Amino acid sequence: MTESVGELRARLGPRLLTGEAVQAYRHDAAPLAAPGVPLAVVRAREEGDVQQALRWAHRHHVAVVPRGGGTGLAGGATAVDGCLVVSLAGMDRIVEMRADDQYCVVQAGVITADLDRAAARHGLMYAPDPSSHETSTIGGNLATNAGGLRCVKYGVTRDWTLGLRTVLADGRVLATGRRTVKGVAGYDLTGLLVGSEGTLGVIVEATLRLRPRPSGAPVTVVAQFPLLEAAATAALEITRAGLDPGLMELLDAATLAALSDHTRMDFEDAAALLLVQFDGAGREDAADAALAVLTRGGAGTALRSETASEAAELVGLRRLAYPALARRGVPFTEDVCVPRSRLAEMVRHIQAVAAAHACEIATVAHAGDGNLHPLFVLPHGTTGIPANVSRAADEIFARALELGGTLTGEHGVGTLKRRWLEREMSAECAEVTRAVKRALDPHGILNPGKAVPFPGEGNGDDLPG
């Protein structure tokens, strides 16, 4: 294999890393996903680099793990022993910005927040915004169909994707989609590739939808509740009132305690905090109406921002939740989603599970769309999932499915959720998934051990190194 790597080096030169240099590319932000050691790393700068890498890997049956910003929380970019990691972070060019047609063309390594700022210079917006939007890449967002804070109003990454350029397992480039608002020719291969977690191809470029940016500064409402379940119920009442928030986030007492330690704010008397933001026309009236709904719903305190900086500061508080909890221990982040009307039930169940299994669980939620993130805070130095945490997670997943929900709303399956995936997918869905995988990746080299539901043919589980 060393001789074969030399062949790849001859084609890629300094863009190929080996030896100790590969260590920084072994894992993403999922702390408990055990990484392997890559054979080499390709730091791609153009589409041709990715083609060279995949042609070589296909020929030699070497596993390929695509990688963006490394911010994933499900282990989707975790290396396997002897693999070739393909990093897209250096492909960071905005190729086109078509303001009149309200779309852009970007390479996979473009940072999510950078794209939104570039769109803003044309009076437009790119709305999907994971909490890691300042470091996550468009390619990674596409791989997991990322959501974020604003998806309650604006949808997830797939809703903003018009077309893709994807390098297939054998090095061919597949161009899918369109640059028009409408288009129904053929199967929706673009939609299939978004959320496929690098198991069907390596996305190198995307044509993304943009839309006019809402005028004026948004208004944020913040409410503290004495009961967590009351906050979850109040979130549903906001939706029932037809107020259409741009974001609606729930934080529980454990999260607020971590934020109190991390910031100058004091939330010690609150069991939960609900953040609701409105943008565009009618935002002032909607904020006032939300204040009334939250007060009737049992909020102890409910206030609204008076300035743009206050509105941004309150939302920034939500983005600090993960780093604040990381100071307390190793945050093992889960990502279940339930129908909006079942949010309060799911919140209650998570509390009961935490008590039953003696786990410290901090819950944050995109309350407007039922997406909850129970974060298990484990002692520093934890390297595997403790038995009580595994049992607790199992019960949380089971309840989410019972309520008509899903195991993952936006983080993806990666390595951490794969063993639970068979509970959600029917045998027929699993069979079709494996058939698609075999058709596009016959040697099973693309991101083996991730996302595809069961071990076996077409999953790459039995790949040699």
Side-chain angles (χ1 to χ4, degrees):
M1 189 60 71
T2 301
E3 182 179 337
S4 298
V5 171
E7 169 195 336
L8 191 58
R9 185 180 299 282
R11 296 176 181 274
L12 296 174
R15 296 180 185 181
L16 185 74
L17 303 179
T18 55
E20 286 300 313
V22 307
Q23 296 297 322
Y25 296 85
R26 295 180 61 200
H27 57 81
D28 56 17
L32 302 181
V37 180
L39 177 69
V41 175
V42 174
R43 294 186 298 177
R45 292 294 181 270
E46 57 189 38
E47 184 179 280
D49 295 340
V50 182
Q51 287 185 276
Q52 293 283 2
L54 267 69
R55 286 172 186 156
W56 177 87
H58 185 74
R59 188 162 59 250
H60 295 285
H61 291 202
V62 172
V64 174
V65 176
R67 179 185 177 86
T71 62
L73 293 170
T78 301
V80 297
D81 284 335
C83 75
L84 182 68
V85 171
V86 178
S87 171
L88 287 301
M91 296 181 62
D92 58 359
R93 188 163 62 93
I94 296 176
V95 180
E96 292 183 60
M97 183 68 68
R98 299 297 294 264
D100 288 345
D101 294 316
Q102 295 183 8
Y103 75 79
C104 63
V105 179
V106 302
Q107 291 183 317
V110 169
I111 299 295
T112 312
D114 287 347
L115 173 56
D116 188 37
R117 283 188 282 265
R121 292 193 283 272
H122 299 269
L124 301 171
M125 74 182 298
Y126 177 71
D129 69 331
S131 293
S132 58
H133 69 308
E134 292 288 357
T135 51
S136 66
T137 63
I138 292 297
N141 294 172
L142 290 161
T144 60
N145 191 25
L149 278 64
R150 295 194 294 209
C151 60
V152 59
K153 181 174 183 178
Y154 295 108
V156 295
T157 300
R158 185 179 285 117
D159 301 316
W160 291 73
T161 307
L162 295 172
L164 298 172
R165 286 183 68 84
T166 304
V167 181
L168 299 178
D170 60 5
R172 289 177 297 158
V173 175
L174 177 67
T176 63
R178 62 196 190 280
R179 296 189 176 194
T180 56
V181 175
K182 294 157 63 176
V184 293
Y187 293 149
D188 183 10
L189 298 179
T190 299
L192 173 66
L193 290 165
V194 176
S196 62
E197 300 187 44
T199 62
L200 300 179
V202 180
I203 296 169
V204 293
E205 185 179 279
T207 301
L208 301 172
R209 188 189 309 271
L210 303 173
R211 62 165 292 167
R213 202 167 194 87
S215 60
V219 180
T220 303
V221 175
V222 57
Q224 296 187 46
F225 286 83
L227 297 172
L228 178 59
E229 191 173 347
T233 302
L236 179 60
E237 293 301 324
I238 292 287
T239 302
R240 283 175 174 161
L243 297 178
D244 197 22
L247 63 83
M248 184 155 56
E249 299 292 306
L250 183 148
L251 297 83
D252 76 349
T255 307
L256 294 176
L259 285 169
S260 293
D261 293 341
H262 194 58
T263 69
R264 295 171 296 166
M265 298 184 180
D266 182 4
F267 302 104
E268 289 186 2
D269 294 332
L273 191 77
L274 195 63
L275 288 167
V276 190
Q277 188 175 84
F278 299 93
D279 59 11
R283 60 192 180 279
E284 299 283 349
D285 291 342
D288 288 340
L291 277 172
V293 170
L294 297 173
T295 300
R296 289 197 303 271
T301 304
L303 305 169
R304 53 168 286 175
S305 61
E306 298 298 332
T307 65
S309 60
E310 283 184 4
E313 184 179 1
L314 289 169
V315 174
L317 187 69
R318 163 62 180 87
R319 298 190 189 277
L320 286 174
Y322 188 85
L325 288 163
R327 294 180 62 184
R328 293 192 158 199
V330 177
F332 172 42
T333 309
E334 281 308 336
D335 171 40
V336 295
C337 192
V338 296
R340 294 167 176 164
S341 61
R342 314 305 291 270
L343 181 68
E345 291 176 72
M346 194 66 216
V347 162
R348 187 189 317 126
H349 182 72
I350 292 170
Q351 289 182 309
V353 166
H357 294 281
C359 297
E360 182 180 354
I361 303 178
T363 300
V364 297
H366 306 307
D369 53 31
N371 190 184
L372 302 100
H373 297 311
L375 291 93
F376 293 81
V377 183
L378 310 178
H380 285 295
T382 301
T383 56
I385 301 176
N388 65 323
V389 171
S390 182
R391 289 191 294 269
D394 188 77
E395 291 185 19
I396 289 172
F397 297 152
R399 186 58 176 157
L401 294 175
E402 287 171 5
L403 294 176
T406 177
L407 298 171
T408 174
E410 58 185 5
H411 291 173
V413 174
T415 59
L416 294 181
K417 287 238 175 114
R418 192 161 175 250
R419 66 191 178 100
W420 282 290
L421 187 56
E422 61 182 292
R423 298 189 183 187
E424 179 168 340
M425 295 186 78
S426 67
E428 293 77 14
C429 282
E431 180 182 355
V432 170
T433 299
R434 290 195 297 270
V436 172
K437 171 72 170 170
R438 286 193 296 269
L440 293 181
D441 182 19
H443 296 327
I445 66 171
L446 292 175
N447 221 6
K450 322 283 176 61
V452 181
F454 305 107
E457 185 181 5
N459 285 322
D461 286 17
D462 53 356
L463 267 178

